[in-house]
């Protein structure tokens, strides 16, 4: 074989043996129905969280692969290394064993919600212990505030009904199988409108706290600079005003 041919054959073999740069730059991000934060990755308005992640990843040099998964499955895959990121995440000591968090990117409220006129407002979650109420919550969620403090109280836990998605809790609420449900009131109101159900009201605000993007430690071990690059991207979105513009497109306050 001609020496030049040998050279190009060897060069091609070397290039084929190198890992694909594109494959190394894919960020696996989980999502679920959580409007207006997570709606649909291919839609005209994919959701606030999803737009922010796309922009952060672009700054960091990654391409996002969105995977639709229920919340409990997201947490499991973060532990196992089958997922890189989950969104709209709160901090907790238990989660700290297998994830790290980006800088905070938006505030979140957690509230006790009810169908208007069907269940009264309450002074505290503890006051519900005197009544045989049923409260819908998302399995493995961290709501904080008084909710977290009462999880060690069996009488309170007995009043909770766990599920994987808010839409199921909403259907049960409208059917009279729940008295209340707990989550972000912005999301709950969006989903209630989608279902065409009766108006919901806030019976009690439980907590206000920042939320974060959550990165699995097993995935980070393979990409040690990822957290720093994503935080730099988030800082640039904030500095440029792009972060606030994303929130404005959905009619939601950025802070």
């Amino acid at each position: 074989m001609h020496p030049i041919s040998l050279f190009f054959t060897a060069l091609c073999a070397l290039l084929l043996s190198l890992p694909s740069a594109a494959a190394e730059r894919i960020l696996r991000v989980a999502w679920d129905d959580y409007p207006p934060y997570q709606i649909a990755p291919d839609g005209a308005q994919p959701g606030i969280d999803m737009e922010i992640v796309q922009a952060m990843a672009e700054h960091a040099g990654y391409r996002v692969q969105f995977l639709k998964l229920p919340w409990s499955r997201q947490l499991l895959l973060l532990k196992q290394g089958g997922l890189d990121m989950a969104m709209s995440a709160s901090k907790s000591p238990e989660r700290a064993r297998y994830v790290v968090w980006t800088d905070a990117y938006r505030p979140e409220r957690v509230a006790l919600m009810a169908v208007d006129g069907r269940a009264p407002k309450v002074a505290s979650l503890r006051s519900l212990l005197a009544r045989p109420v049923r409260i819908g919550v998302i399995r493995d969620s961290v709501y904080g505030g008084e909710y977290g403090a009462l999880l060690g109280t069996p009488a309170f836990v007995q009043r909770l009904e766990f599920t994987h998605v808010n839409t199921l809790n909403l259907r049960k609420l409208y059917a009279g199988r729940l008295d209340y449900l707990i989550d972000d009131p912005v999301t709950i109101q969006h989903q209630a409108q989608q279902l065409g159900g009766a108006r919901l009201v806030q019976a009690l605000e439980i907590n206000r706290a920042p939320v974060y993007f959550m990165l699995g430690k097993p995935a980070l071990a393979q990409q040690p600079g990822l957290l720093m690059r994503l935080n730099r991207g988030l800082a640039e979105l904030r500095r440029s005003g792009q972060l606030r513009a994303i929130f404005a497109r959905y009619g939601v306050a950025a802070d």
Side-chain angles (χ1 to χ4, degrees):
M1 184 180 288
H2 193 281
I4 294 179
S5 298
L6 285 171
F7 170 77
F8 280 108
T9 300
L11 179 61
C12 289
L14 176 62
L15 291 174
L16 288 171
S17 70
L18 293 174
S20 165
E24 291 179 351
R25 293 291 188 176
I26 292 176
L27 188 66
R28 300 166 299 173
V29 180
W31 72 284
D32 204 355
D33 295 317
Y34 202 64
Y37 307 111
Q38 301 164 37
I39 300 173
D42 299 323
Q45 285 194 312
I48 293 170
D49 292 355
M50 299 169 97
E51 287 200 37
I52 294 172
V53 164
Q54 290 274 29
M56 287 170 62
E58 184 177 338
H59 278 284
Y62 281 77
R63 178 172 67 83
V64 177
Q65 178 186 9
F66 284 113
L67 305 168
K68 189 175 184 183
L69 299 163
W71 184 244
S72 56
R73 181 69 176 166
Q74 294 183 31
L75 299 180
L76 178 63
L77 289 178
L78 285 171
K79 291 179 186 178
Q80 296 176 341
L83 185 67
D84 299 315
M85 178 189 284
M87 304 181 285
S88 290
S90 301
K91 291 185 176 183
S92 75
E94 193 276 332
R95 290 177 181 174
R97 294 187 293 106
Y98 59 91
V99 303
V100 297
W101 292 269
T102 65
D103 294 335
Y105 69 97
R106 66 173 176 84
E108 182 177 66
R109 289 192 302 130
V110 176
L112 185 73
M113 305 294 292
V115 176
D116 190 15
R118 190 180 294 177
K121 292 187 176 183
V122 298
S124 68
L125 289 177
R126 184 171 292 278
S127 69
L128 295 175
L129 298 182
R131 297 164 47 199
V133 298
R134 298 153 299 175
I135 306 168
V137 296
I138 300 298
R139 189 178 304 279
D140 295 322
S141 287
V142 173
Y143 296 123
E146 188 186 14
Y147 177 90
L150 284 173
L151 285 179
T153 304
F156 178 69
V157 175
Q158 289 169 7
R159 286 159 171 76
L160 303 179
E161 294 194 15
F162 297 90
T163 188
H164 294 292
V165 291
N166 270 327
T167 49
L168 179 56
N169 275 339
L170 276 167
R171 293 182 191 280
K172 292 166 72 174
L173 186 71
Y174 285 135
R177 293 163 55 197
L178 290 176
D179 301 291
Y180 301 96
L181 56 81
I182 294 175
D183 213 301
D184 182 329
V186 175
T187 292
I188 293 298
Q189 295 289 14
H190 270 78
Q191 292 177 319
Q193 290 173 9
Q194 290 172 349
L195 290 177
R199 190 172 79 93
L200 301 183
V201 294
Q202 180 174 304
L204 174 71
E205 183 174 283
I206 298 168
N207 196 27
R208 286 179 183 246
V211 292
Y212 311 80
F213 298 111
M214 192 161 61
L215 299 163
K217 288 183 177 179
L220 276 180
Q222 306 299 318
Q223 308 171 80
L226 175 59
L227 178 62
M228 179 184 67
R229 290 192 290 269
L230 289 173
N231 277 333
R232 284 178 177 172
L234 180 58
E236 175 58 25
L237 294 179
R238 189 171 278 116
R239 185 202 65 77
S240 68
Q242 188 177 351
L243 186 67
R244 189 171 293 277
I246 290 172
F247 281 93
R249 284 198 289 274
Y250 293 82
V252 175
D255 45 32

